[in-house]
């Protein structure tokens, strides 16, 4: 691990999900030393399918062209026009609204496949498994000590918590008694499954699986208090299926977890009054299902994403529901901004005292917070609004698909149209004023 006199800061990344891995790869490309600490015995990723929005794809190219190349290996180019297509699942089973995404856009696959492919780009020497962070302390010299559950201690100039929605690092930044240290139930839960494409085709037909008019056929069936999403992943081998259901009750499990065992009859009940074809779609699902509560950070948002030389990113900072398909993409944007700013810190280290190094690190995290806070907090609220639109719970819109398309398009385009190069430029511009013209030696 580099010493205080090194010409590179050392960054500790807590958590080896998508945000943590992409941050590691961004730092690696920019020559910033890092160690990635993962609590599990190997890289793993919870969840089934995932799609990456156009802004996330552009950010991957800037992080490192090799990272983007590997991404395209897992989710190869389709060279077709992509649309989101919303079906009136309650009354007609007909496509009632379409939103153009782009050509070869919003590609997806299995989460585990992306994590596996990207993690292979990180040298083994930079990763430590079975490391669960317990506490973090700023030392007298300004560096940060990380105490792990196994009794070991790590040190770094900067610590970034990429440890997900139940982030321990967020608790340590904000305080364990702070409600913002914990996510809240959104009164929505979901069932997820990967269905073999042959089975999906039997139920949905060719037009709504991998056939049709030059589209990968992403469909969302919407109606009162629920929605049902289908789209192909893993090069068309599987159909990713997601059912989201409104729930008036508080979430409770004996073990306190956000997941529990669900069943096909429970899923069928939510769609009991819907169009017969949509009800029949639940037959694609296995009899035993994992039931996922959807939590987010809307009710008690983190007021800031850093303290001293410690920060949080991705879901650890601004967990949102899955309804706009952008949680991972915003984590990738976070990673790019952090990697850019920490590279800028490295470029200024020559001849600086330890005190000045610490102030540089603080300035980088202030700039990160300033650039990312408003956009990421907007996503959390916009995601809740989107789900209300899907469930016909927006009183102004209801089942009016013309009004629906206008409102949902605004939200998607605010996500997709983010100028990645400008975001990086603004981040570096924020760093300069915070830093000031001179630092003490």
């Amino acid at each position: 691990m580099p010493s205080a006199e090194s010409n590179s800061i050392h960054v500790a990344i807590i958590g080896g999900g998508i945000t943590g891995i992409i941050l590691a790869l961004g730092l690696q490309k920019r020559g910033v030393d890092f160690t990635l600490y993962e609590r599990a015995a190997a890289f793993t990723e919870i969840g089934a399918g995932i799609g990456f929005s156009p802004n996330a794809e552009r950010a991957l190219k800037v992080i490192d062209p090799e990272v983007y190349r590997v991404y395209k290996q897992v989710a190869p180019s389709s060279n077709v026009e992509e649309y989101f297509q919303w079906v009136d699942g309650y009354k007609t089973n007909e496509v009632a609204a379409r939103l153009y995404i782009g050509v070869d856009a919003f590609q997806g696959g299995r989460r585990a496949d992306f994590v596996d492919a990207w993690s292979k780009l990180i040298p083994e020497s930079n990763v430590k498994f079975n490391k669960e962070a317990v506490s973090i302390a700023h030392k007298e010299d300004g560096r940060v000590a990380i105490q792990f559950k196994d009794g070991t201690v790590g040190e770094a100039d900067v610590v970034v918590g990429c440890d997900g929605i139940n982030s321990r690092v967020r608790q340590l930044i904000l305080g364990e008694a702070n409600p913002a240290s914990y996510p809240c139930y959104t009164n929505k839960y979901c069932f997820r499954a990967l269905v073999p494409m042959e089975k999906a085709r039997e139920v949905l037909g060719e037009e709504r699986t991998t056939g049709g008019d030059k589209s990968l056929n992403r469909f969302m069936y919407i109606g009162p208090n629920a929605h049902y999403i289908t789209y192909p992943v893993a090069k068309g081998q599987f159909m990713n299926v997601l059912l989201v259901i409104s729930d008036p009750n508080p979430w409770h499990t004996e073990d306190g977890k956000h997941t529990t065992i669900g069943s096909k009859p429970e899923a069928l009940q939510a769609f009991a009054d819907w169009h017969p074809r949509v009800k029949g779609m639940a037959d694609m699902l296995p009899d035993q299902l994992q039931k996922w509560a959807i939590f987010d950070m809307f009710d008690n948002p983190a007021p800031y994403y850093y303290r001293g030389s410690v920060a949080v990113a991705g879901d650890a900072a601004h967990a949102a529901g899955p309804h706009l398909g952008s949680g991972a993409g915003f984590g990738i944007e976070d990673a790019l901004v952090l990697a850019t700013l920490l590279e800028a810190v490295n470029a200024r280290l020559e001849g600086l005292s330890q005190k000045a190094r610490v102030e540089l690190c603080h300035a980088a995290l202030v700039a990160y917070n300033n650039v990312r806070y408003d956009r990421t907090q907007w996503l959390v609220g916009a995601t809740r609004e989107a789900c209300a639109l899907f469930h016909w719970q927006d009183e102004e819109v209801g089942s009016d698909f013309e009004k629906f398309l206008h409102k949902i398009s605004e939200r998607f385009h605010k996500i997709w149209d983010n100028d990645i190069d400008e975001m990086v430029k603004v981040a570096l511009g924020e760093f300069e004023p915070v830093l000031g013209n001179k630092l003490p030696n």
Side-chain angles (χ1 to χ4, degrees), residues 30-105:
R30 289 158 179 76
V32 181
D33 293 332
F34 69 91
T35 301
L36 194 160
Y37 298 96
E38 166 55 41
R39 64 183 296 177
F43 287 115
T44 58
E45 183 62 43
I46 297 173
I50 186 172
F52 291 91
S53 49
N55 54 302
E57 294 180 345
R58 294 193 300 274
L60 288 172
K61 292 179 183 179
V62 181
I63 284 165
D64 184 352
E66 178 66 7
V67 172
Y68 181 77
R69 185 190 69 79
V70 170
Y71 161 71
K72 295 305 293 182
Q73 281 187 329
V74 179
S77 298
S78 62
N79 297 315
V80 297
E81 294 182 340
E82 300 296 342
Y83 293 86
F84 282 145
Q85 302 176 90
W86 288 279
V87 177
D88 182 339
Y90 185 64
K91 302 172 186 173
T92 68
N93 191 39
E94 294 179 356
V95 174
R98 300 177 86 214
L99 176 61
Y100 179 67
I101 307 171
V103 176
D104 188 28

Side-chain angles (χ1 to χ4, degrees), residues 259-438:
T259 59
T260 188
I261 299 299
S263 66
K264 184 188 291 187
E266 187 177 6
L268 281 167
Q269 180 59 37
F271 297 91
D273 298 326
W274 287 41
H275 190 279
R277 176 58 68 88
V278 179
K279 288 192 290 186
M281 286 162 54
D283 288 333
M284 292 195 300
L285 303 175
D287 291 330
Q288 281 238 321
L289 293 165
Q290 193 84 345
K291 182 178 177 180
W292 300 68
I294 300 175
F295 279 66
D296 69 11
M297 296 299 297
F298 180 80
D299 290 341
N300 298 298
Y304 43 83
Y305 297 160
Y306 76 100
R307 180 171 61 84
S309 295
V310 182
V312 283
D315 282 353
H318 44 76
H323 316 301
L324 289 172
S326 298
F330 272 49
I332 290 168
E333 288 184 359
D334 288 350
L336 174 57
V337 169
L338 281 165
T340 299
L341 291 166
L342 294 174
E343 178 189 30
V345 170
N346 253 12
R348 294 171 176 264
L349 293 180
E350 189 70 37
L352 290 185
S353 66
Q354 176 60 13
K355 180 180 178 182
R357 291 167 62 100
V358 171
E359 291 193 4
L360 272 175
C361 293
H362 289 184
L365 297 187
V366 170
Y368 159 70
N369 185 85
N370 291 349
V371 169
R372 296 299 297 155
Y373 190 83
D374 287 349
R375 176 168 165 82
T376 54
Q377 287 297 310
W378 168 85
L379 177 69
V380 181
T383 299
R384 285 215 180 183
E385 294 163 359
C387 196
L389 289 168
F390 300 153
H391 289 199
W392 293 0
Q393 294 167 347
D394 186 308
E395 293 182 0
E396 294 182 4
V397 175
S399 59
D400 185 322
F401 276 89
E402 184 176 348
K403 292 180 180 178
F404 166 84
L405 185 59
H406 174 72
K407 280 201 169 187
I408 201 66
S409 297
E410 284 183 335
R411 286 159 178 79
F412 274 119
H413 276 288
K414 185 165 181 176
I415 294 166
W416 300 345
D417 297 345
N418 188 31
D419 187 329
I420 297 299
D421 293 331
E422 180 65 16
M423 178 184 73
V424 169
K425 181 179 177 181
V426 169
L428 290 171
E430 284 282 338
F431 182 51
E432 295 295 337
V434 169
L435 183 61
N437 294 324
K438 293 183 179 180

Side-chain angles (χ1 to χ4, degrees), residues 166 183 251-260 293 295:
N166 295 307
W251 180 262
H252 174 74
T253 55
E254 293 298 326
D255 57 10
K257 292 184 178 179
H258 295 179
T259 59
T260 188
F295 279 66

